[in-house]
């Protein structure tokens, strides 16, 4: 249940707009390391997954996030089974 | 209660007003805003734009803001339609309709809803330019200020 | 430049928007207000209303206020239609349409124009009640205040 | 040219809403007495033309006027050939 397990379950991750283009996919399911418990930790970990991910999260301040379709800050919790989305500031209408 | 749609197809303003007001004789006025694609932005000519949304979250957020408008103003109905996909200059992008016994309620709610749709709803816009290049639109501070003014004011 | 009409016939909002925006690709948004006949007023049930105007003066005054709106806000076009004659509950009474590159300009101009039409334009309204009686509507102070707020504010 | 002539010419007068109903006509052309040179004087003179006119102008304060299709106050001038309209406060839209 605690630090001894390598992963805590899976997470569905969505990317929109230029984050989707940089990562190279609109959606992926990742095995969540047990050490990743917040949005901020997830972003730091995702950056290590490849050059596309690194490019997507390089401009840290302008990336927004939603957890289970609610806007979320960097300190928001992420749990196995969550749907986490990353996107730029919205530019609708 | 509000009609919420995200769609690639165009909408028909007259038909949407007719649907909102059908059979009702207690409405005093309908406020309406239609956003359309301009052929230029930040000084450059735009040949098209592409709009992307977050299916599920976008519709939920639109339903929540419509419910908030219905709580703030005496609305008898409300329709929000936002298009996605590729849109060319002159095309409709977004429709806000509100019905109320009172004209100021209808128009204030319309302004509130379009400010929110432009600044807070999960849509992303990419502009295509005459030279074939494309660019995602940056969020504008002016828009954030427009939305922020509703935070402090009661109707 | 503005389209001004006083007419007995109904109007078609979709067709009026299409006419206002036809062939244009520089419009950012269309503000719109449609006033409709309510089935009650001052607590009494209304079966119909009859609207009278001052032919000539009314159209001139409407053209003047439209020109004032076009001077105050960056409008690309404006349509004002007001019906006269006998109108039953649910019927359209008045249409304001404004086109602008900017949504706040379009919606502020729409609010300005409908406030003026409701309080300053030479129209007179008689209400018909369920018991067969009729009464001319009194000008309401609230409406005068609504129009007065535009006197002191620049856009 | 001056006080010695009984009338100074004709005036077209229009009535709207309940003024029209009380006067009993929507329009009349009157021979303007030379003593009538303002809207206020015209209203006072019109009241003497019959019971309908008297009823129409009885509620003085709520009667509005236009001279040649411009809103006008009681001290506005009226001249032969003018179109003068009387009506209640407007109640449009």
């Amino acid at each position: 249940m605690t630090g001894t397990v390598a992963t805590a379950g899976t997470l569905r991750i969505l990317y929109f707009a230029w984050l989707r283009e940089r990562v190279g996919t609109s959606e992926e399911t990742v095995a969540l390391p047990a050490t990743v418990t917040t949005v901020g930790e997830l972003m730091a970990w995702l950056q290590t997954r490849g050059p596309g991910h690194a490019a997507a999260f390089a401009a840290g301040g302008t990336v927004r996030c939603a957890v289970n379709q609610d806007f979320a800050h960097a300190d928001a919790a992420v749990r196995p089974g969550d749907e986490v989305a990353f996107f730029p500031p919205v530019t609708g209408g | 209660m509000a009609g919420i749609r995200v769609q690639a197809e165009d909408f028909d303003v007259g038909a949407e007003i007719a649907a909102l007001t059908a059979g009702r004789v207690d409405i005093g006025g309908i406020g309406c805003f239609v956003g359309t694609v301009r052929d230029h932005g930040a000084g450059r000519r735009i040949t098209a734009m592409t709009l992307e949304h977050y299916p599920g979250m976008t519709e939920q957020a639109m339903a929540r803001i419509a419910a908030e408008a219905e709580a703030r103003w005496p609305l008898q109905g409300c329709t929000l339609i936002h298009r996605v996909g590729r849109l060319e200059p002159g095309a409709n992008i977004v429709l806000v309709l509100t019905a109320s016994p009172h004209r100021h309620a209808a128009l204030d709610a319309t302004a509130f809803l379009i400010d929110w749709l432009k600044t807070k709803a999960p849509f992303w816009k990419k502009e295509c330019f005459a030279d074939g290049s494309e660019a995602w639109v940056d969020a504008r501070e002016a828009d954030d200020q427009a939305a922020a003014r509703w935070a402090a004011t009661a109707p």
Side-chain angles (χ1 to χ4, degrees), chain A, chain B:
Chain A
M1 292 298 198
T2 52
T4 55
V5 291
T7 69
T10 62
L11 209 59
R12 188 172 168 226
I13 305 188
L14 309 179
Y15 302 98
F16 294 98
W18 55 256
L19 275 108
R20 172 178 50 71
E21 291 178 341
R22 290 188 194 173
V23 171
T25 185
S26 62
E27 180 175 341
E28 61 183 341
T29 299
V30 300
L32 184 67
T35 52
V36 172
T37 61
T38 68
V39 166
E41 288 163 3
L42 178 62
M43 288 171 73
W45 178 72
L46 285 169
Q47 285 190 61
T48 67
R49 284 173 55 85
H53 287 77
F57 290 101
T62 62
V63 173
R64 299 278 187 268
C65 178
V67 176
N68 297 326
Q69 306 196 350
D70 266 324
F71 288 109
H73 290 290
D75 57 0
V78 293
R79 295 181 187 85
D82 282 351
E83 174 180 298
V84 180
F86 293 102
F87 41 79
V90 304
T91 52
Chain B
M1 179 139 107
I4 306 291
R5 301 209 306 273
V6 179
Q7 62 188 38
E9 316 84 70
D10 197 7
F11 48 79
D12 176 332
V13 181
E16 294 302 332
I17 292 177
L20 185 68
T21 61
R24 298 199 68 148
V25 291
D26 56 347
I27 295 172
I30 298 113
C32 170
F33 182 85
V34 183
T36 51
V37 181
R38 296 167 62 189
D39 67 349
H40 59 281
R44 294 183 71 184
R45 205 167 82 74
I46 291 166
T47 54
M49 61 171 53
T50 306
L51 274 153
E52 184 172 327
H53 79 302
Y54 183 167
M57 180 175 173
T58 305
E59 292 84 347
Q60 272 186 45
M62 289 167 72
R64 261 201 308 269
I65 203 71
E68 186 177 330
E70 289 172 339
R72 281 191 180 211
W73 290 279
L75 301 188
Q76 296 162 311
C78 169
T79 301
L80 304 180
I81 303 177
H82 205 299
R83 294 180 71 191
V84 288
R86 183 184 164 87
L87 301 173
E88 297 188 352
N92 291 329
I93 307 174
V94 58
L95 173 69
V96 174
L97 284 184
T98 60
S100 174
H102 307 293
R103 67 183 182 279
H104 292 142
L107 285 171
D108 287 351
T110 299
F112 167 80
L113 288 166
I114 189 63
D115 277 349
W116 181 88
L117 280 164
K118 290 260 189 183
T119 57
K120 303 289 181 190
F123 291 95
W124 299 276
K125 194 180 333 193
K126 183 188 240 179
E127 293 176 339
C128 311
F129 302 102
D131 64 5
S133 66
E134 299 184 329
W136 290 98
V137 175
D138 279 333
R140 287 187 305 156
E141 204 177 324
D143 274 340
D144 285 340
Q145 287 167 355
R149 72 179 169 149
W150 296 105
T153 59

